[in-house]
Amino acid sequence: MCDWDDAFANMKHVANSGELPPFWTARAAAYRADLQAGGQRLDLDIAYGDHPREKFDIVWPDGTPQGLAVFVHGGFWMRLEKGHWTDFAEGARAMGWAVCLPSYTLAPEARIHEITAQIGRAISTAAGLVDGPIRLSGHSAGGHLATRMLCSDTPLPGAVFKRIAHTLSISGLHDLRPLLHTEMNRTLNLDLEEARAESAVLAQPAAAAPLTCWVGGGERPEFIRQTRLLTDMWAGLDVPVRCEIEGDHNHFTIIEGLREPDSPITTAFVGPFQQARPQHEAGADA
């Protein structure tokens, strides 16, 4: 039988990863201070609901935004918050996008389906503040939450959903059923019904909105499997998809490129969508 705890144990398999959360916190705080010192617009703690964690930040670009870019953080739905990640907005901000970074209520206080609904409200609220197209992204559990916005039971209003130009799931969790066999499920409280309902791989896409699934080549095999799985499933449902396995990045280094405007992952986030060629077409060239 598979050791599912080990399959999802990113920190166990990355040296010194326990030092990352305080490092992220300090670096993000320094980035916010630099923005404010330079006169850049930064709106903090915009409420999208009544819970103390139902808040988001917006990092604004120079001039009129090209649109709204949303980055949803990970942490297995039970750790971290928006303040860890502000500097990861820089790549998209420098490319002219207003970047929204939401927090959400963590498990066990909230079930995953409740967190999905919260992210829908956060995006809808932010969409009322920024005109133009919407680009969604998320890392790990955040990748799950971003792709859930594309499913037929999306919590987004129709007018907001129609503005989604592209979604980038980075090391996303798209099949939640294996989590039923982990110790962390003592906190997540998933049952089979919710695991199925919250798995994008089992869902019908709401529309053929372009989707990119991005993962590091040095990540745990389960994250690579889940990346391939969603693109394979949704390609068969006529969704324009791209699957990218980048170098030997681990679960944490894979997002570092979001801090740079000219990186491949930032280009995938807010640049033109590059669809993978269908396998039968690629095979015809052989």
Side-chain angles (χ1 to χ4, degrees), residues 10-11 14 17 20 24 88 139 219 249-256:
N10 294 302
M11 298 188 80
V14 177
S17 58
L20 286 173
W24 289 328
F88 288 91
H139 175 236
E219 298 207 39
H249 281 292
N250 63 47
H251 193 69
F252 308 113
T253 62
I254 190 63
I255 54 175
E256 285 293 319

Side-chain angles (χ1 to χ4, degrees), residues 88-95 135 168 214 255-272:
F88 288 91
E90 177 56 25
R93 188 209 70 82
M95 296 295 290
R135 299 293 186 103
L168 171 67
W214 198 283
I255 54 175
E256 285 293 319
L258 292 174
R259 303 173 65 242
E260 305 294 336
D262 57 352
S263 70
I265 198 168
T266 297
T267 300
F269 183 14
V270 295

Side-chain angles (χ1 to χ4, degrees), residues 11-152:
M11 298 188 80
K12 174 183 174 182
H13 292 275
V14 177
N16 302 316
S17 58
E19 301 172 6
L20 286 173
F23 170 75
W24 289 328
T25 299
R27 190 172 66 177
Y31 174 76
R32 292 192 296 272
D34 287 345
L35 286 180
Q36 292 169 327
Q40 298 284 350
R41 183 179 174 187
L42 173 63
D43 292 339
L44 302 176
D45 295 326
I46 301 171
Y48 66 86
D50 296 330
H51 192 279
R53 287 187 60 97
E54 289 184 316
K55 294 178 181 178
F56 59 75
D57 300 338
I58 296 183
V59 182
W60 295 87
D62 301 326
T64 302
Q66 292 195 39
L68 174 67
V70 180
F71 177 76
V72 186
H73 74 80
F76 286 113
W77 307 272
M78 57 188 185
R79 291 190 291 270
L80 308 176
E81 50 91 21
K82 60 184 175 61
H84 288 85
W85 314 102
T86 322
D87 54 314
F88 288 91
E90 177 56 25
R93 188 209 70 82
M95 296 295 290
W97 292 76
V99 184
C100 170
L101 302 105
S103 284
Y104 46 85
T105 307
L106 300 177
E109 185 177 354
R111 299 282 295 268
I112 290 179
H113 73 273
E114 294 172 321
I115 298 171
T116 295
Q118 285 184 322
I119 292 302
R121 291 196 297 273
I123 294 168
S124 298
T125 302
L129 302 176
V130 183
D131 294 330
I134 298 172
R135 299 293 186 103
L136 303 180
S137 73
H139 175 236
S140 198
H144 159 265
L145 294 165
T147 54
R148 282 289 287 116
M149 301 301 109
L150 305 182
C151 300
S152 59

